[in-house]
Each structure stands twice: as structure tokens, then as C-alpha cells.
Amino acid sequence: MVEFAAWSATFVHTVPLATTANSPPSPPIPSPLVAILPLLAPLATAVGALLVRRSDRAQRAVSVLGAIAYLGAVAALYAAVAEQGTLTYQLSDWQAPFGITVVADSLSVFTLAFAAALSLAAVVFSVLYVDSYGQRVSYHPLYHFMMVGVTGSFLTGDVFNLFVWFEVMLLSSYVLVAFYSGPEHTRAALGYAVLNLLGGAVMLVAIGGLYATTGTLNIADMARRLANASEYGIDPVPVLGLSAVLFSVFALKAGLVPFQFWVPAAYRAAPAPVAAMLAGVVKKVGIYAIVRLNFTVFATATLPAGLSLPGFVGESFLSFYGPILFVMAAASILVGGIGAISREDLDSMLAYSSIGQIGFVTLPLAVGATVPAIRPLAIAASLVYALNHGVAKALLYLVSGTIEDTVGTVRFRDLGGIAVRDPVLGGSFLLGALALIGIPPLSGFFAKLLVFDTSGSALALDGRGAALAIAIGLTGSILTIVYFSRAWTRGFWGPPGRAIEFWGGADDGAVSGDGRATTDGGTATDPVPEGAAEVESTSPSVGLVGIVAVLALSLVVLGLGFDPVADAAMAAAEAALDREGYVRAVLGGTG
């Protein structure tokens, strides 16, 4: 943490293109095969889980071991990228830009690292949380196929395979959202599927248009051609339009306003560990795609005649995207925050909170797109906030799942007093909430500080909209305090609700020999809250509570040991802006 101020100041005075243009070429890569290990691990796990699906125990073992192998593969790739620089793997030895290329750089491994860690926690939670019938209906193969899609999206080197990996990820998640098969779940899954299938069709049309316009699908080759558009005979005007269509699809995947309407229903319907991954990881795939394509590829393109649109100034494509990103980020913060305040159950509150928090992830990108001098700081702030939100929101959804597994409901009117009945579970929720509010020494403090530092640095450079960005950030922070305070006081503090009267170890009751809660020395005769009637034992699972406690502790560790996180985010931001380095690693030559 001592280095944090200096690190932040370094970003403010860095102009990325001047710095990266003279960066030395990456050293030879001795083992490019390591780049595809994170893809092979979940793929092998999904296939293995299908093969042993008749045995619950074997399937769960394969799933957990596969999640551990996935984390190990990502760790190996992370170490290789840190030592060797950008790694590429050309499938079947077909060289880019004609073959399928896997590319791992500091940006992709940063996102992969927290995705793999959260995936392991979600898999272990799933083993304990999903019932035996659910285990038998291919929960684990579907989950790992979803992670194959997530991993491929982070590692792909061309826009067509980005579409392919998106579809792999989403096809699995459709089934997982509808996993419980009730009317609400089916309705949510149908809406989620229709919107994302429509988005996929639009994405495919945009990709086809980009291929017709630029003559390539390879990300590095497209960046090189757009940087020298006249040399390749490319008209930048249709490219800008097609990139905007592609951007709208990424915004849909990320759940940014005005494409957020699928989020609340899908997150409420999905099993808790799936909702944790949807909010913590899958949403970040859309953010990653925005950063990769807009800051690495389309940032190199310009409109020589300038942007002849009201409110848009400049020639760069990012000058066009800056105001759009800002409006989406601000609307997401406000819509998500206000919506979360009015929710009457924990899952709905967390779903709307995810809309608001993704606005905080996007806000620094909007500022950075408008003010070129602070783009490294802006991207780093976005990545750090994405990491903090991923861990904290996954933690909160798993807390919600633990509560529902224990008492059968997460409605605030039925809760209360959980922090007294189970201090570990209540304390874990509190740490997750404080991390999203931004209280030191948790990781969320640094994440929110970087978001405000980005806007403050832009304001010092007379950046357009910087003061408004600060005001939006402050408003969103106040809304975050309000809805988490409301959730804490109604769900975890105060007098116990009717559901919590059946919580194991309650002070005002005991647990009878048959596992039913008793009050005043007799058998409980009051009706059990809706959804809790089937719960025979209302003591929370030690395993489930242990998993959420580990995630809560990780928020403290990430905050106290923030310097490595800051260094990783700095490297990822530089990789996102290092067009020449990316082109050189994928295509060779000088970029």
C-alpha cells in the first residue's frame, strides 16, 4: 500500500502510445502450449463429468478436481505471461491472421485469474448446495462448459471466435438459469435466451460487416489495418457504425443500461452459485470485450473529417465512445442503486446492485476514452473495480444461497437477527457490503478510490464531464450505503423474523429431537414461512458458511496486500493499450 500513491501518480503522467511505441519485442516463448491449458482444463472436466454422471460422488469429485486443475492452469499461464510477455498459440500451426489464434497477455490473465478463483469457490459450494437430483441432471457439465466459454472469450485472438465462445458460454448459462424448472425460472431463462440470441445474431452481422470492410477477423490484424486505414483502403465511417453495433452487444452481455432488463429475473432464477458466477464473472466478459476491442483495436482508428455529431468532439473512435460509455455508466449507477433500495428480498436487491456496480466498472472507461492522458489509470481502475465486485458480489450471492438453504426464504420481512444467530455468516455479508461501499482496508476502498482518482485526474486536465463523473460517483456511493444499510438492518440485525425463529441455535427457542424448532419449551405450532416448510434442519451448513468466510477473508487480504493487485492491474492496462506489442506478438514483425 505504500507504493499506491506513487503508482497512481505514474499513471496520470503516462501517455500510453508514446511509452509503448518503443517497447522492446517480447522474448521467444519456449512453451506456447501453456496458453491453451486454461481452455483444456474445463473442457476435459465437462466431458469427464458427463462420462461419470451416473455416480453422484464421482461426478462431484471430477468437478472439484477439474476446478482445481483450472485454477492451476491459469496460475501457470499467469506466471508464464509475467515472465515471458504475451503468449500466442496457433491452432494446427496455421499462422495468424489466417488461423485460429489463442492470445494470453497481462489483460487476459488478470481477468482469468479472478474468474478461476471464483469458479473453484462456486464449484465447491455447488457440491454442497445442489441436491442429488440436481447433480444428476448435468449441472456440473453445464457449469464447466460455461467456464470453457468464459475462458475462450478472454483468450481468443479474433472477433469471430469471440462470438463462438460467447455462444458456448451463453448456451450453458441458459440451462443453468432455468435449472429449477419452475414457471418463474422458465420465464427468466426464456427472456435471457431470447435477448442474448438476438444479441448474438446482431453480433454476427456486425462481425461480417467488419470482415467485409477491413478484410480480416484477426484482432491484431484489424488493429494494424485500422491504424493505417488509407494504406489498406479502409473507409473508417462504416467501421465506426459496425463497431457501435458490436459495442451494443457487449453492453447487453455486461447488463449496462439500457440493456439491463434481463438481469434481475435471470439472477433471481438461477441457483446461488450460478448467480454468483453470472454477476461476478460472466458480466465481466462484456467489459473485457469493450476494453480489448475499443481500447486495443478501434482506438487506433480516426475519422479525418471529425465527428459531425452534436456533443461529440474529436477524430478518434474513442471520442465517440466516451460520451456513450458515460451515459450508460451514469444511468446504470442510478437505475441500479435506486432499484436496489426498493427491493423486498435479498436476491432482487443484489441483482439491482449488480446493475449499479457495473456502472462503476464502466465509469472510468468513459472518462479515459475522453481524456487520452489518463487511459492507463482509467483501465486499471476499471479492472480493479471489476475484481473487487466479482469477489464481493459472488460472496453476497453465496451468503444469500446459504440463508435460503437454511430457512427457505430470503425475503426481508421473514429475516432479521442472522448476525446474532450466525456471526460468521452475518460478518461475511457485512464485509462484502463494506467492500462494495468502499471502506478501508478492504479491496473495495482502493477500487473506489481509483474510480474517483480517474475522474479527479481528468478534472485536473480540464477533461470534459470529469466533474459530473465525480458527482455521479458520489451519488452512486450514497445509494450503495443506503441499500446495503437497509439490507443489513432488515435481514441481519434487529429482531428475528418468522423464518429466523427456526434457525438452529436460536436464543428464544431450541431444536427438538426431530430437528424442528421449538419455542417456550414446546413444539412450534406457528406456520413456517413460505418456502421453509420442507426444511428439517435449520442449522446452516458448516461447509457453505466456510466457503463464504474464505471469500470474505479474501477481500481483507486483497486490501491489505493491494500492491500486487495494483501492479497486475497496471500491467493489464498497459497491455490493453499496447497495440504495437499485441500486433507484434500475434503477427510478428514491427506491428
Side-chain angles (χ1 to χ4, degrees):
M1 286 188 288
V2 175
E3 301 172 359
F4 173 73
W7 173 83
S8 177
T10 300
F11 270 129
V12 176
H13 301 291
T14 299
V15 179
L17 295 180
T19 302
T20 58
N22 299 319
S23 58
S26 302
I29 307 303
S31 301
L33 192 63
V34 73
I36 65 168
L37 288 180
L39 267 173
L40 296 177
L43 179 60
T45 304
V47 173
L50 277 174
L51 293 176
V52 299
R53 65 186 182 277
R54 295 184 183 278
S55 170
D56 287 356
R57 181 173 297 181
Q59 185 173 222
R60 296 180 191 195
V62 167
S63 185
V64 173
L65 291 174
I68 295 171
Y70 178 52
L71 181 59
V74 170
L77 179 58
Y78 192 101
V81 169
E83 181 180 355
Q84 302 292 338
T86 302
L87 298 178
T88 62
Y89 183 82
Q90 312 289 350
L91 270 69
S92 299
D93 207 26
W94 282 81
Q95 297 302 306
F98 307 107
I100 297 174
T101 306
V102 172
V103 185
D105 64 358
S106 296
L107 174 61
S108 55
V109 297
F110 182 92
T111 51
L112 271 176
F114 73 80
L118 292 178
S119 180
L120 177 58
V123 167
V124 176
F125 192 94
S126 299
V127 166
L128 302 173
Y129 179 82
V130 179
D131 61 24
S132 296
Y133 176 76
Q135 306 281 350
R136 289 194 299 272
V137 292
S138 299
Y139 174 91
H140 291 286
L142 287 167
Y143 177 90
H144 290 286
F145 276 125
M146 182 178 72
M147 294 310 300
V148 171
V150 169
T151 306
S153 299
F154 288 145
L155 293 177
T156 186
D158 68 83
V159 289
F160 178 75
N161 280 292
L162 181 62
F163 162 78
V164 172
W165 293 122
F166 268 27
E167 292 307 302
V168 172
M169 174 183 71
L170 292 168
L171 284 172
S172 303
S173 64
Y174 299 152
V175 184
L176 290 172
V177 169
F179 190 73
Y180 290 130
S181 303
E184 177 188 356
H185 313 101
T186 304
R187 189 182 309 112
L190 181 62
Y192 178 57
V194 168
L195 287 171
N196 280 281
L197 287 173
L198 178 62
V202 171
M203 182 179 182
L204 195 58
V205 170
I207 290 171
L210 286 172
Y211 179 69
T213 307
T214 65
T216 186
L217 293 173
N218 184 276
I219 291 174
D221 195 31
M222 190 178 294
R224 178 175 63 178
R225 288 168 179 251
L226 288 175
N228 305 279
S230 59
E231 178 183 341
Y232 289 94
I234 298 173
D235 184 356
V237 175
V239 174
L240 177 60
L242 291 165
S243 71
V245 174
L246 203 57
F247 169 81
S248 67
V249 178
F250 300 150
L252 172 66
K253 309 299 185 186
L256 285 165
V257 172
F259 306 107
Q260 86 293 349
F261 33 81
W262 60 270
V263 172
Y267 286 14
R268 286 198 307 268
V274 174
M277 292 303 291
L278 290 176
V281 173
V282 173
K283 261 195 170 192
K284 308 308 184 301
V285 176
I287 297 297
Y288 170 84
I290 290 173
V291 173
R292 173 60 77 200
L293 291 186
N294 286 280
F295 286 85
T296 304
V297 179
F298 298 127
T300 65
T302 59
L303 293 175
L307 295 168
S308 55
L309 295 170
F312 296 87
V313 179
E315 298 179 350
S316 168
F317 278 23
L318 282 181
S319 299
F320 171 78
Y321 283 110
I324 295 175
L325 279 167
F326 181 83
V327 171
M328 285 184 163
S332 297
I333 289 172
L334 297 177
V335 169
I338 294 171
I341 291 174
S342 62
R343 298 306 101 183
E344 291 301 323
D345 65 270
L346 185 56
D347 281 349
S348 295
M349 187 274 289
L350 293 177
Y352 276 91
S353 169
S354 292
I355 297 171
Q357 295 301 314
I358 208 69
F360 276 106
V361 175
T362 311
L363 186 61
L365 296 179
V367 177
T370 307
V371 185
I374 63 165
R375 282 177 189 166
L377 174 61
I379 294 174
S382 177
L383 293 174
V384 171
Y385 206 102
L387 167 64
N388 175 72
H389 175 255
V391 177
K393 190 52 62 71
L395 160 66
L396 294 173
Y397 266 111
L398 296 187
V399 169
S400 178
T402 303
I403 295 172
E404 189 160 19
D405 182 69
T406 303
V407 297
T409 182
V410 289
R411 292 176 304 186
F412 289 132
R413 70 183 186 188
D414 295 324
L415 303 180
I418 294 176
V420 175
R421 306 302 170 91
D422 195 317
V424 175
L425 188 64
S428 297
F429 178 89
L430 182 61
L431 284 175
L434 293 178
L436 290 177
I437 291 171
I439 302 298
L442 303 175
S443 58
F445 168 75
F446 297 100
K448 194 150 286 186
L449 178 63
L450 283 173
V451 171
F452 283 108
D453 191 19
T454 301
S455 299
S457 299
L459 185 62
L461 296 172
D462 296 323
R464 296 172 63 244
L468 184 57
I470 294 174
I472 291 293
L474 288 172
T475 302
S477 298
I478 293 171
L479 291 173
T480 306
I481 293 172
V482 171
Y483 64 70
F484 273 122
S485 297
R486 181 173 178 268
W488 173 256
T489 54
R490 295 190 65 186
F492 294 84
W493 203 246
R498 296 183 63 190
I500 306 306
E501 292 176 359
F502 297 88
W503 191 282
D507 291 336
D508 57 349
V511 178
S512 65
D514 61 359
R516 298 189 62 202
T518 62
T519 56
D520 298 326
T523 302
T525 56
D526 291 337
V528 180
E530 181 183 345
E534 295 81 8
V535 179
E536 295 182 358
S537 174
T538 54
S539 296
S541 165
V542 174
L544 299 183
V545 174
I547 294 166
V548 300
V550 169
L551 285 176
L553 182 62
S554 69
L555 292 171
V556 179
V557 172
L558 287 172
L560 294 177
F562 183 70
D563 284 345
V565 178
D567 293 339
M570 176 175 66
E574 290 175 346
L577 294 167
D578 186 6
R579 174 187 59 83
E580 293 192 3
Y582 188 88
V583 171
R584 187 167 49 244
V586 176
L587 302 176
T590 60

